[in-house]
Each structure stands twice: as structure tokens, then as C-alpha cells.
Amino acid sequence: MNYDELMRMLDIEEPEHFLYFENMADLLESEEQIDKEALCKLIRGVDKDVISELIEDYIDDVIENLPSEEADLYTLLDTIKRSLSGTAGQCVRDEGAVAVLADELLRFRKWYSGEKDVRCTEKDERLQRNVTVAEAVALYRLEKIGEKEYEYDFNDVLDYPLDEYIVGFSELLGAEYEFDEDDFMHEEDPDYDSEKYE
């Protein structure tokens, strides 16, 4: 899928229109192959705070619709969310992060919507089938409104290769603040100058 086809699939005319939960859902749930360069072009035109927030909202929604006993999958998705969201934030300052984010989003799409590695067993008839993570989440949503109930085996999707995103100290401060080690000098230090800190 090239850039023009991607825009038609998302039903938007410009990257700035990529603003809503539904846009992220369309991007991540489509099973069609997307060219990396097309995705990079889209990412460059989307507000990075918006794409970071949409990633978090989408994966939080997935997490809320997992069977309660799937603690390992919950932890994995939370890690993926932090990594993708953090990388999106890096795109503001680092052009190279755009390609990294595109790679990670494509990796997530393949894992989430492209690979049928979740084993579902219908509780009444004991029929088994393999589905994607996205399909399993959809089935569990339907259970909540009275549809068929399943047993889910997510073991084969837990081995997700992900380079962990490390948040820098300056990012934790929430500002572009550069600190000097003298800022942390204590009064008991012989080189401490009290007048400097008044």
C-alpha cells in the first residue's frame, strides 16, 4: 500500500487530519501491507503529541478488553505502549526516530492483526480455532454482550521482540531543562556557596 492508498484507507486527505481514535484503529487493524516510506510520510505530517496520545489510547483500550487472567499479555502491551509512545515523542527532535516508529508500528500491526497465533476454544462446543490478537480481543468484547464464550491461549504471542525505550532524565522533568551537577551540591560540601543558591 503506497502513500495515496494509505490515505484513502484512512479516509483522510492530509496527515494533519489523523486526529481520532478511529484513525489509529484503521491503521493498526488493517491486514493490508503498508509500505514503510508511506507510513514515514504520514508520521512526519502528524502532530507528534497527537500520535503519541492516540497510541496510548488505543492500546489502553485493548488492555481493558483482555481476559482478567492474562497478566503477562497486559504487561507486554503496556511495555509496547510505552515504547511506541516514547518513540513518537522522540520524532519531534530526531528525524531518525520517524523510521524507528514506522518499523515498530509495522511490527505491532503484524503481531496484532496479521498473525493467527491465539488459540480460542469455544466453551460450549469445544471447537478450536486460531485467530489474531485483534480477533481475540473482538471475541472477548462480544462475550460481554452475551455472545459465545471462549477460552483463550495467548502463550504463542508473548514472545514479542521489542527494543525497550529508555526515558531520559530531562524528559521525566517534562521540560527542556539542562541541569548542572552544582545544582545538587549540599550545604555540607566544602565547596558549597550558600550565596549562589539564595
Side-chain angles (χ1 to χ4, degrees), residues 8 30 91 103 118 120 133 137 143 149 154 165 177 185 190:
R8 284 196 293 273
S30 169
C91 291
D103 282 335
V118 181
C120 292
V133 176
V137 171
E143 282 190 25
E149 296 184 359
F154 289 96
Y165 174 76
Y177 172 72
M185 294 181 71

Side-chain angles (χ1 to χ4, degrees), residues 23-35:
N23 299 139
M24 184 60 69
D26 289 340
L27 177 66
L28 297 179
E29 294 174 7
S30 169
E31 297 180 14
E32 297 183 53
Q33 185 173 352
I34 298 175
D35 294 340

Side-chain angles (χ1 to χ4, degrees), residues 70-113:
E70 297 299 332
D72 289 341
L73 184 58
Y74 175 99
T75 301
L76 173 61
L77 280 163
D78 191 61
T79 301
I80 294 170
K81 176 187 73 173
R82 293 175 186 276
S83 176
L84 292 175
S85 177
T87 304
Q90 287 290 89
C91 291
V92 176
R93 300 180 295 278
D94 181 4
E95 173 64 21
V98 171
V100 174
L101 179 59
D103 282 335
E104 292 301 329
L105 285 172
L106 292 173
R107 186 201 308 267
F108 180 77
R109 290 178 74 252
K110 181 179 179 182
W111 174 84
Y112 184 66
S113 301

Side-chain angles (χ1 to χ4, degrees), residues 104-171:
E104 292 301 329
L105 285 172
L106 292 173
R107 186 201 308 267
F108 180 77
R109 290 178 74 252
K110 181 179 179 182
W111 174 84
Y112 184 66
S113 301
E115 299 176 341
K116 296 181 180 292
D117 289 333
V118 181
R119 183 177 297 106
C120 292
T121 304
E122 191 177 336
K123 288 186 177 180
D124 290 339
E125 300 180 15
R126 307 306 300 173
L127 298 176
Q128 289 188 355
R129 56 176 170 148
N130 285 3
V131 301
T132 65
V133 176
E135 289 172 321
V137 171
L139 287 174
Y140 191 67
R141 289 182 196 268
L142 291 174
E143 282 190 25
K144 296 179 179 180
I145 58 173
E147 297 295 324
K148 293 180 179 179
E149 296 184 359
Y150 292 84
E151 296 172 358
Y152 302 90
D153 183 353
F154 289 96
N155 286 331
D156 289 342
V157 302
L158 295 177
D159 186 17
Y160 185 99
L162 180 67
D163 295 329
E164 185 175 357
Y165 174 76
I166 306 299
V167 180
F169 182 72
S170 62
E171 290 183 67

